[in-house]
């Protein structure tokens, strides 16, 4: 049984299959099979880590190849981008600036003090510098 057939059986309702979700090759319930998405996420993480180690450890991996181009892009950048896209482009959890502003007490503005406008200076024509 292929992985695709296993996934199709796992997606099918248990009442429609004659063996009611039991796969003798897997040796158990199909619904208890590991999720392929978790395996793909793990594989992309490993590919990114291995590519980063190759770029750090091997000077030849920092160069360029005539057929595919810059190697760090393909060893680190593309697996990292695929891993990020696999996680649905979630951004790192940085503390929001809004939360810090909400935590600080609100300051009162002084009334009556207007900002002073800058004075417009007339343009002066400067003579061109003399070239020797």
């Amino acid at each position: 049984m292929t992985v695709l057939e296993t996934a199709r059986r796992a997606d099918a309702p248990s009442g429609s299959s004659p063996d009611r979700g039991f796969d003798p090759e897997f040796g158990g319930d199909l619904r208890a099979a590991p999720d392929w998405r978790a395996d793909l996420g793990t594989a992309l993480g490993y590919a990114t880590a291995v590519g980063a180690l190759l770029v750090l450890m091997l000077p030849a991996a920092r160069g360029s190849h005539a057929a595919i181009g810059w190697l760090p892009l393909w060893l680190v950048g593309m697996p990292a981008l695929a891993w990020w896209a696999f996680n649905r482009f979630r951004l790192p959890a940085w503390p929001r600036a809004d939360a810090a502003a909400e935590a600080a007490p609100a300051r009162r503005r002084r009334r009556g003090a207007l900002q002073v406008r800058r004075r417009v200076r007339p343009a002066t024509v400067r003579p061109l510098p003399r070239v020797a």
Side-chain angles (χ1 to χ4, degrees), residues 16-52:
S16 65
S17 64
D19 55 0
R20 305 232 187 266
F22 183 80
D23 183 14
E25 186 177 350
F26 174 66
D29 191 6
L30 288 175
R31 290 174 296 252
D35 190 15
W36 64 271
R37 291 178 190 95
D39 294 339
L40 180 60
T42 304
L44 287 171
Y46 281 134
T48 304
V50 167

Side-chain angles (χ1 to χ4, degrees), residues 15 35 60 106 108 122 125 129:
D35 190 15
R108 295 186 59 179
V125 180

Side-chain angles (χ1 to χ4, degrees), residues 65-101:
H65 191 270
I68 61 174
W70 193 48
L71 292 177
L73 173 73
W74 295 105
L75 292 173
V76 180
M78 291 300 168
L81 186 65
W83 195 19
W84 183 44
F86 177 75
N87 287 322
R88 298 186 181 164
F89 296 103
R90 290 188 205 124
L91 293 176
W94 300 105
R96 294 187 344 216
D98 301 344

Side-chain angles (χ1 to χ4, degrees), residues 109 112-120:
R109 290 183 70 178
L114 297 175
Q115 184 173 353
V116 178
R117 294 190 180 193
R118 290 182 185 233
R119 191 173 52 128
V120 179

